[in-house]
Amino acid sequence: MMSRLAPRWPAWLFWWQAACPQGVSAQQRTWAGASRIPGPGGPWGATGTSPLVRRGSSSASSCAPEVVLTRERYSVRRLPFSVVSEDDLAALERIVPGRVITDPEELEAPNVDWLRTVRGSSKVLLRPRTSQEVAHILRYCHERNLAVSPQGGNTGMVGGSTPVFDEIIVSTALMNQIVSFHNVSGVLVCQAGCVLEELSRYVEERGFVVPLDLGAKGSCHIGGNVATNAGGLRFLRYGSLRGTVLGLEVVLADGTILNCLTSLRKDNTGYDLKQLFIGSEGTLGVITAVSILCPPKPSAVNVAFLGCPGFAEVLQTFCTCRGMLGEILSAFEFMDAECMKLVGLHLHLACPVQESPFYILIETSGSGAGHDAEKLSGFLEQVLGSGLVTDGTLATDQRRIKMLWALRERITEALSRDGYVYKYDLSLPLDRLYDLVSDLRARLGLHAKHVVGYGHLGDGNLHLNVTAEAFSPSLLGTLEPYVYEWTARQRGSVSAEHGLGFKKKDVLGYSKPPEALQLMQQLKALLDPKGILNPYKTLPTRT
Amino acid sequence: MMSRLAPRWPAWLFWWQAACPQGVSAQQRTWAGASRIPGPGGPWGATGTSPLVRRGSSSASSCAPEVVLTRERYSVRRLPFSVVSEDDLAALERIVPGRVITDPEELEAPNVDWLRTVRGSSKVLLRPRTSQEVAHILRYCHERNLAVSPQGGNTGMVGGSTPVFDEIIVSTALMNQIVSFHNVSGVLVCQAGCVLEELSRYVEERGFVVPLDLGAKGSCHIGGNVATNAGGLRFLRYGSLRGTVLGLEVVLADGTILNCLTSLRKDNTGYDLKQLFIGSEGTLGVITAVSILCPPKPSAVNVAFLGCPGFAEVLQTFCTCRGMLGEILSAFEFMDAECMKLVGLHLHLACPVQESPFYILIETSGSGAGHDAEKLSGFLEQVLGSGLVTDGTLATDQRRIKMLWALRERITEALSRDGYVYKYDLSLPLDRLYDLVSDLRARLGLHAKHVVGYGHLGDGNLHLNVTAEAFSPSLLGTLEPYVYEWTARQRGSVSAEHGLGFKKKDVLGYSKPPEALQLMQQLKALLDPKGILNPYKTLPTRT
């Protein structure tokens, strides 16, 4: 569909093009800027799937330094679960014949998160193919008091998908079948282990899009996405998974299969149980199948990449943009100059516009190429004319759209190549959003390699990242609880979209009152009385 | 804003206008049709708020025949709650001084639902002003084992907001303060008793819209809307309240205040507790305040009202419409000829187009009047040219838009004037959606006055209504469980948006498996161990 784009750009845009010192194609223009995007053979590298989108298992390469065991780095005590015995292995082998993995080498990758910050010591990984197999596994583990760590693509940011001690890893990798897709309603039903990018391709071929997109799409599983209530790049347009996920099939701690896998847009029959499992990070049940509403694929997509002189101008550009682009605005992302420096340094991606303190990526998705081009050009004229934006480039064909998106999507990857990364994923009031980055940069001085800020500005979501040569308890002490206290003072969220997993579970109290924590503990006790599901995650350590 | 609309309609539209045998204004055209919409003084009556939007208390007029007590009409046994004593009244008077209502006349309206189908016999109604007062009330009732029936605008369809026996009615009517509104983010925070239409007016004056709209807007409370997970007329565009409600303050059964009243678009810190209360009809807690994300107000709104020769054509028009109107489509409603007959008969509203077997109301909401007009006219040309639609009329100014919407919104009111109404609110697969109406019409023959079908086609939501002179157990027996079994065979929902309340609680099992029912009962037991919150509602009677 994208290659068929033929926007009717208004005459004034060609003035910008004519004003360029070098000729650029109609699909990729820059304004008033010295830098130009090189061709396909340039420093952008291949235009296909980036390494990041295959993150996960690939990150555990043998040449990288070994990751410290979680139980050693953090003060955490093993809970009194049973230890997997030979008898257990035999019993599990009967449930998933030939799919009980005990080879230490094969277990290395699933024991480590892709960021290489936490490491468990699980001795066994299971690969069920069906919900019934998952049910048998959990029924067995529940009876035997064996702890379980459900794992999708292992692309999480907070150590939620790797074991902390010797939990049995239950992988959804072989549960990768599409169950059904309805060509009129756009409802997709699939198993939990389907890879997001593959689902995306499948529905796009049928004229729809998955309402979720994120950097890890090449390896993350839809079940994991739902279990972590992933936000991502399309949140601004299509909203939360809490609205777009229509149904779930979940296996409860005792092996009960809870089938709420309906395909209805509306269903007010009783409590909406699926909501319990969305975002509960596998601590209340294991999601085995998902029903999700896919919106029609927009026939026209444009991406503008803009340079901004300051954060105040970024915010003003956002307000202008929302007013002028209205219903076709599908993403408003920002990144600071430090981010651009890192994607240049580690991934050799060139900045497509004049160097600026801030950059904005705006995406429009609509049903009328001509109308969208007109709206977008009106907006660009406005922000360039008023000085809110100092330089910009526009892409309308898929290849160049991907190239611009790569600058934003691959920041995570560039950061992970810069050293040990302290990651914060915060919701903050828009007008204070960047203050914390500046504040922290001053506070840390030379103790950090880089302090960067980027994220989903349209959703009030800041990704604040600090890199250092290696993990250091003293740097951690300077960062925490400072960052959390700062966020709490603004009544923000200490985890906007990444969840709490293992690494953030103890900071829940910065964003939720004690009454909420108590009710969460009660829900956990109700749904998983023995606490076997993804222990040491999501809820604070009880003291 | 709406009065400033000045769409640039393309030339071809004026051909349609020229082809009309009588001159019509540019804002209100009909094509190829004999019927014309009368002027403001015609049978449409006043163009302001319809009687329906003030429904609720107004419906309990003293001249209407008395409604049979719920406990007499249905076989239901009072649970062993305490009975309100003089000491209780004195204690409650200390909590909400001067706001303890015991006058039998004042209690008549809140004891009866607006449809006049159920009636409780509560002897006391409380009017708290703050969450703290609600907390004190519930703490007291919890200790004394007194049952409570929370009540908003009392506009529900399933007897969820009226007491069944002598439950204490806790009204949110005086909790009607707006707490805050953020002009950039569009986040509205308000008390639960704010009337939807007033909130709507408030945010529209500030350039935003409430993402929810429904016929009862003039009297329903936002707290009740959230407690019932109301769907309504903007669902197609803005999605479920599960996505747009950002935060809630809830008082639990024991009087604990659970403050999850954040204003963040994204917050993944722990389990999303607010989801438990959305749609739980006051059985798990009493919602006292709501934080809701309001989208920017569209600058251009158009409404087209079309006549269709058959239901197959309605469906094809929907597919065409979704493709051609894309992101500006904000409503796709349908009604059958019987509905039109009833709004004509009881409300004296005239059909604005040629008589047809089916009618469609399409609304577009966008940021560019010219673009929207162009998209809409392209679509209309297509459906009129292909014969999918045989006649149509278009409104672009607010007054006439309201007049067209009234035809759809006031069906409920017309039905209630036709006699006793058996109401079914179903989610069904689109291609089978209307079969049930035809099927039932044949099945009932002369036993029913009217069998009508209308609803939110874009959401797969059918409102099936059957009217008769009076309530009749034998007609009920012909309808039920037939309708539910039919729906269950299509894997539909027996309550798409109205909830279960008192009248539908025992049919939950047609749409949810036993494992789900069990978990719902467990959640109820966890959150309200004494069962004092809105008893006899939502969950099936335990046998």
Side-chain angles (χ1 to χ4, degrees), chain B residues 2-75:
Chain B
M2 292 227 185
S3 57
R4 283 196 271 122
L5 284 175
R8 282 165 279 154
W9 293 99
W12 76 265
L13 247 188
F14 295 97
W15 177 82
W16 285 108
Q17 193 185 354
C20 291
Q22 299 149 275
V24 286
S25 84
Q27 275 74 42
Q28 177 81 40
R29 298 177 199 87
T30 78
W31 303 284
S35 20
R36 294 283 164 266
I37 294 182
W44 286 72
T47 55
T49 306
S50 79
L52 177 67
V53 304
R54 290 187 305 274
R55 79 190 186 197
S57 55
S58 66
S59 62
S61 78
S62 54
C63 59
E66 186 142 290
V67 179
V68 180
L69 282 168
T70 306
R71 66 165 187 256
E72 288 172 7
R73 175 168 289 168
Y74 300 88
S75 86

Side-chain angles (χ1 to χ4, degrees), chain A residues 194-494:
Chain A
C194 289
V195 171
L196 180 59
E197 194 171 48
E198 286 165 20
L199 291 179
S200 207
R201 202 177 300 128
Y202 180 89
V203 303
E204 286 197 21
E205 284 165 5
R206 287 153 182 83
F208 291 82
V209 290
V210 179
L212 173 76
D213 187 25
L214 58 160
K217 56 177 154 278
S219 40
C220 65
H221 294 186
I222 189 72
N225 297 147
V226 174
T228 53
N229 189 27
L233 307 165
R234 288 179 183 158
F235 189 97
L236 183 71
R237 178 64 164 273
Y238 301 118
S240 161
L241 289 176
R242 297 193 177 277
T244 52
V245 169
L246 302 180
L248 288 182
E249 181 189 59
V250 180
V251 179
L252 302 182
D254 65 358
T256 301
I257 297 180
L258 184 69
N259 183 350
C260 295
L261 198 61
T262 60
S263 296
L264 307 165
R265 290 201 68 169
K266 285 176 167 177
D267 180 20
N268 271 353
T269 51
Y271 310 146
D272 190 4
L273 298 177
K274 69 171 183 286
Q275 299 292 343
L276 280 171
F277 306 98
I278 300 176
S280 66
E281 305 183 293
T283 62
L284 299 180
V286 178
I287 294 171
T288 50
V290 174
S291 165
I292 189 165
L293 181 68
C294 297
K297 182 177 169 176
S299 59
V301 175
N302 302 297
V303 168
F305 197 91
L306 313 171
C308 249
F311 193 71
E313 286 80 5
V314 172
L315 289 182
Q316 280 181 63
T317 304
F318 175 58
C319 289
T320 309
C321 174
R322 212 176 42 173
M324 296 184 75
L325 298 180
E327 64 281 0
I328 64 166
L329 179 64
S330 56
F332 193 103
E333 300 286 317
F334 92 103
M335 56 196 278
D336 63 15
E338 291 284 283
C339 291
M340 186 62 83
K341 186 177 132 189
L342 291 177
V343 295
L345 188 68
H346 297 296
L347 308 174
H348 311 293
L349 303 187
C351 176
V353 297
Q354 245 175 6
E355 272 188 35
S356 311
F358 291 92
Y359 303 93
I360 297 171
L361 185 152
I362 290 170
E363 186 190 74
T364 66
S365 306
S367 62
H371 291 164
D372 296 3
E374 224 176 282
K375 286 189 179 87
L376 189 53
S377 61
F379 158 72
L380 292 171
E381 195 161 21
Q382 169 71 24
V383 291
L384 281 156
S386 62
L388 290 178
V389 162
T390 44
D391 190 21
T393 179
L394 181 71
T396 62
D397 74 307
Q398 207 178 355
R399 193 180 64 89
R400 289 184 188 265
I401 284 173
K402 274 195 174 182
M403 286 163 70
L404 291 182
W405 263 116
L407 287 164
R408 164 63 188 83
E409 287 191 88
R410 296 183 68 186
I411 296 170
T412 320
E413 189 187 351
L415 282 161
S416 70
R417 295 192 187 190
D418 200 51
Y420 186 91
V421 191
Y422 301 83
K423 295 190 98 67
Y424 302 95
D425 162 42
L426 313 166
S427 274
L428 287 168
L430 279 184
D431 49 349
R432 299 299 309 275
L433 193 106
Y434 199 74
D435 290 356
L436 178 56
V437 184
S438 314
D439 189 349
L440 215 55
R441 206 170 271 149
R443 182 179 166 89
L444 296 178
L446 295 174
H447 292 94
K449 272 180 85 173
H450 291 102
V451 179
V452 312
Y454 64 101
H456 317 290
L457 191 99
D459 312 322
N461 185 183
L462 169 72
H463 293 318
L464 164 68
N465 285 245
V466 176
T467 62
E469 288 305 341
F471 175 80
S472 138
S474 88
L475 181 53
L476 188 66
T478 315
L479 285 164
E480 302 176 16
Y482 184 81
V483 169
Y484 300 124
E485 285 170 352
W486 201 101
T487 304
R489 276 198 299 279
Q490 310 298 326
R491 304 198 61 198
S493 169
V494 293

